[in-house]
C-alpha cells in the first residue's frame, strides 16, 4: 500500500467530510495519453476511444494512473494554519471548516510532528500542506478512464456536486458541469477530455 497527497478545494473537502463525495475526476496528462497511445500501437491495449468498455484495456490504463492503485491511500491536501502550540500538541485549523463549530475546524497533532510556527492569520496553501497536517485519508476503491461528458447523474452526485435547477428538476449533473467549468475553464467541458475516475472511501485513522 502506498500513500499520495491529493488537493481538493474547500467545497470538495466539505463534501468529503459530509460523506457526499466518494469520487473525483482528474484529466489525463499529455504524457499519460502518449504512453497509452504507444501501448495501443503495439497491441498491448485498445486505443482509448475503443477500449473504455473493455476490462482488459481498462486494467492496462490503470497502470498509468498517477493516484495509485485500488487499496492505496490518498491524503487530502487543503489550506490550513497552526493555531497554537502547547507542550505536547499543536492545534491546526482548516480553512474549509472555518464557518463550522470550533471542534469541527481543528485537529491536534503531536508537537514533535509540527514543523511550522503559529500563524493566526496566514493560511498555508493546500499545495504546501505536509502529510502530518492532513486530517483526511481516503482509500481508493476503484479506478477507470472515461470521457468527461460520460458522467452519469449518480456519479455526478457521488462527486459531491451541488444541484442546479432546470425544467425537469434539480440535477447534480448540471451542478457538476458548472463546478468543472469554474475549475478548468469555460471550454473544458466542451473539449470532453479523457479523465481518471477515482472512487474512494474515507478511512478513520487512529
Amino acid at each position: 500500500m502506498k500513500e499520495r497527497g491529493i488537493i481538493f478545494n474547500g467545497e470538495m473537502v466539505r463534501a468529503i467530510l459530509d460523506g457526499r463525495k466518494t469520487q473525483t475526476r482528474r484529466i489525463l496528462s499529455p504524457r499519460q495519453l502518449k504512453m497509452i497511445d504507444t501501448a495501443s500501437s503495439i497491441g498491448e491495449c485498445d486505443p482509448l476511444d475503443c477500449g473504455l468498455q473493455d476490462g482488459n484495456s481498462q486494467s492496462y490504463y490503470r497502470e498509468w494512473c498517477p493516484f495509485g492503485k485500488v487499496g492505496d491511500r490518498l491524503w487530502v491536501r487543503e489550506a490550513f494554519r497552526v493555531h497554537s502550540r502547547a507542550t505536547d500538541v499543536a492545534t491546526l485549523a482548516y480553512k474549509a471548516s472555518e464557518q463550522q463549530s470550533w471542534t469541527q475546524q481543528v485537529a491536534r497533532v503531536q508537537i514533535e510532528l509540527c514543523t511550522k510556527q503559529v500563524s493566526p492569520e496566514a493560511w498555508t496553501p493546500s499545495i504546501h500542506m505536509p502529510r502530518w497536517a492532513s486530517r483526511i485519508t481516503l482509500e481508493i476503491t476503484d479506478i477507470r478512464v472515461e470521457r468527461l461528458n460520460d458522467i452519469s447523474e449518480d456519479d455526478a452526485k457521488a462527486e459531491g456536486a451541488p444541484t442546479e435547477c432546470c425544467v425537469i428538476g434539480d440535477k447534480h449533473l448540471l451542478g457538476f458541469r458548472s463546478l468543472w467549468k469554474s475549475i478548468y475553464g469555460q471550454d473544458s467541458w466542451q473539449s470532453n477530455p479523457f479523465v481518471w475516475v477515482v472512487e474512494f472511501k474515507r478511512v478513520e485513522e487512529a
Side-chain angles (χ1 to χ4, degrees):
M1 180 188 71
K2 294 183 179 180
E3 287 192 339
R4 297 168 177 83
I6 185 170
I7 293 175
F8 286 99
N9 65 25
E11 183 179 359
M12 294 297 97
V13 168
R14 289 188 291 274
I16 292 171
L17 292 172
D18 291 343
R20 295 182 288 108
K21 185 173 180 65
T22 57
Q23 292 184 11
T24 187
R25 280 162 172 75
R26 306 295 170 106
I27 299 173
L28 271 72
S29 71
R31 178 178 178 274
Q32 292 154 10
L33 291 170
K34 183 177 180 180
M35 292 294 187
I36 292 173
D37 183 60
T38 299
S40 68
S41 70
I42 59 176
E44 292 188 2
C45 63
D46 289 329
L48 277 168
D49 276 320
C50 304
L52 296 182
Q53 304 305 316
D54 178 71
N56 290 331
S57 291
Q58 283 282 3
S59 293
Y60 188 87
Y61 305 155
R62 282 194 288 269
E63 295 299 316
W64 296 102
C65 181
F67 302 103
K69 305 180 185 302
V70 172
D72 284 351
R73 292 185 173 184
L74 303 169
W75 53 274
V76 173
R77 286 179 146 157
E78 56 176 311
F80 80 104
R81 61 183 175 83
V82 179
H83 174 75
S84 62
R85 296 169 63 99
T87 303
D88 54 346
V89 297
T91 300
L92 312 182
Y94 299 88
K95 191 173 185 179
S97 299
E98 62 180 337
Q99 300 303 317
Q100 297 177 295
S101 68
W102 181 244
T103 56
Q104 293 172 301
Q105 288 182 43
V106 301
R108 291 175 173 81
V109 299
Q110 294 300 309
I111 193 68
E112 60 266 21
L113 297 177
C114 182
T115 58
K116 296 182 69 67
Q117 297 303 309
V118 173
S119 53
E121 302 297 334
W123 295 102
T124 297
S126 55
I127 194 170
H128 297 308
M129 171 180 266
R131 176 65 180 100
W132 56 261
S134 179
R135 60 174 170 166
I136 304 172
T137 302
L138 311 171
E139 182 180 315
I140 297 174
T141 58
D142 193 33
I143 301 169
R144 65 181 182 275
V145 177
E146 68 180 29
R147 285 283 191 180
L148 175 63
N149 293 176
D150 289 341
I151 187 173
S152 67
E153 173 69 9
D154 285 344
D155 281 354
K157 184 177 182 180
E159 278 272 1
T163 59
E164 284 189 11
C165 187
C166 66
V167 293
I168 56 175
D170 289 342
K171 290 293 183 180
H172 292 278
L173 182 55
L174 296 180
F176 176 78
R177 183 178 65 184
S178 296
L179 179 64
W180 185 273
K181 287 181 178 180
S182 73
I183 296 172
Y184 294 99
Q186 288 298 308
D187 296 333
S188 56
W189 182 265
Q190 186 174 356
S191 66
N192 196 22
F194 289 105
V195 293
W196 298 110
V197 182
V198 181
E199 299 187 19
F200 53 80
K201 63 181 180 181
R202 189 177 174 193
V203 177
E204 297 291 346
E205 296 187 301

